[in-house]
């Protein structure tokens, strides 16, 4: 009587079956990791930033740059030193660019890194505030000017809350892990030019700790 295939003494059949099962298991694990990773973390292939200067050389509203490293910080840090507005820094994303750009940003600065600060401004009075015209310096003596924002840079009426991103090109960053602290400075002021209170004009100067 002819033996069925699984009772034959040929070990290669079982070796073949085990190999196929092992390959399938590896593929399932890889697919699972990929799905979970993409769900929990943004893509690290490109960083898109908005350019509000429509007269720039690129002539585009969006600039996309490749980056080779990315790190995301949840900050939840508030600054209430100005009675005219409550300011909260929510998140910071840092992109280490795949290559150094000689001209990036509204002022064509050289940069090999982008810092994106997500912040919220709640106006307690009619104000003008300019996070897009500030500077950021780092704990390792680097400094960059804010250059991209579609969310701030003008008047905010009393009682209005606005949340958005400000992007700062930075040059000379070797590793994202070298950045431990950011000093962010920008101006704010009362919208009413006749307001002569001591607090009518404010330089926001805050230390953002990257944990």
């Amino acid at each position: 009587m002819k033996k069925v295939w699984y009772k034959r003494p040929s070990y290669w059949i079982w070796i073949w079956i085990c190999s196929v099962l092992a390959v399938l298991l590896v593929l399932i694990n890889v697919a699972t990791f990929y799905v979970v990773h993409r769900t929990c973390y943004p893509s690290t292939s490109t960083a898109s930033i908005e350019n509000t200067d429509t007269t720039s050389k690129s002539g585009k509203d969006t600039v996309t740059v490749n980056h080779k490293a990315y790190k995301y910080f949840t900050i939840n840090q508030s600054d209430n030193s100005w009675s005219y507005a409550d300011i909260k820094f929510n998140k910071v994303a840092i992109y280490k660019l795949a290559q150094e750009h000689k001209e990036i940003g509204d002022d064509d600065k050289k940069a090999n890194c982008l810092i994106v600060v997500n912040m919220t401004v709640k106006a307690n009075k009619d104000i003008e505030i300019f996070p897009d015209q500030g500077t950021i310096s780092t704990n390792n003596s680097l400094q960059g000017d804010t250059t991209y924002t579609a969310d701030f840079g003008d008047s905010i009426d009393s009682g209005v809350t606005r949340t958005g991103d400000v992007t700062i090109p930075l040059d000379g960053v070797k590793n994202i892990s070298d950045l431990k602290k950011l000093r962010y400075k920008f101006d704010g002021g009362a919208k009413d030019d006749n307001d002569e209170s001591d607090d009518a004009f404010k330089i926001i100067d805050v230390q953002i700790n990257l944990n």
Side-chain angles (χ1 to χ4, degrees):
M1 185 174 68
K2 186 177 181 181
K3 292 184 178 181
V4 294
W5 66 272
Y6 56 83
K7 292 185 177 180
R8 292 179 181 177
S10 300
Y11 294 105
W12 69 268
I13 296 178
W14 292 107
I15 293 174
W16 182 84
I17 292 174
C18 291
S19 300
V20 171
L21 291 175
V23 170
L24 289 175
L25 183 61
V26 170
L27 291 176
I28 291 172
N29 287 336
V30 171
T32 302
F33 172 81
Y34 178 80
V35 170
V36 171
H37 182 80
R38 288 298 301 272
T39 301
C40 297
Y41 302 97
S43 170
T44 56
S45 60
T46 60
S48 295
I49 52 179
E50 292 199 3
N51 182 2
T52 57
D53 181 7
T54 55
T55 63
S56 65
K57 293 180 181 179
S58 65
K60 298 179 180 179
D61 292 333
T62 302
V63 177
T64 301
V65 293
N66 292 326
H67 65 281
K68 62 182 180 181
Y70 169 90
K71 197 163 185 179
Y72 183 85
F73 303 88
T74 299
I75 304 301
N76 291 327
Q77 182 175 329
S78 297
D79 184 282
N80 305 113
S81 61
W82 188 30
S83 63
Y84 283 56
D86 298 325
I87 302 170
K88 183 181 178 184
F89 300 92
N90 307 308
K91 304 167 186 176
V92 173
I94 301 178
Y95 299 89
K96 181 67 163 55
L97 304 184
Q99 63 181 24
E100 184 180 63
H101 290 250
K102 294 183 178 180
E103 295 181 349
I104 189 170
D106 296 340
D107 298 324
D108 292 332
K109 299 290 186 178
K110 185 169 68 172
N112 74 337
C113 182
L114 293 177
I115 298 177
V116 182
V117 179
N118 180 270
M119 57 186 293
T120 298
V121 177
K122 178 183 178 296
N124 299 321
K125 296 184 179 181
D126 292 350
I127 62 170
E128 293 181 335
I129 194 165
F130 305 97
D132 62 327
Q133 298 178 28
T135 61
I136 276 188
S137 55
T138 71
N139 56 284
N140 54 347
S141 303
L142 302 176
Q143 181 170 315
D145 300 325
T146 56
T147 183
Y148 290 104
T149 176
D151 307 298
F152 300 104
D154 207 341
S155 301
I156 304 179
D157 291 341
S158 178
V160 173
T161 299
R162 190 174 294 173
T163 297
D165 295 328
V166 178
T167 302
I168 304 93
L170 197 64
D171 195 42
V173 177
K174 294 181 179 179
N175 300 292
I176 293 178
S177 58
D178 295 336
L179 303 179
K180 307 293 186 182
K181 184 181 294 184
L182 307 176
R183 183 185 181 187
Y184 187 14
K185 295 173 61 178
F186 57 91
D187 294 340
K191 189 175 181 180
D192 184 359
D193 294 335
N194 296 319
D195 189 336
E196 298 181 354
S197 69
D198 294 338
D199 210 21
F201 175 78
K202 179 71 174 180
I203 298 177
I204 310 298
D205 189 347
V206 63
Q207 300 279 349
I208 299 176
N209 297 309
L210 304 178
N211 298 321

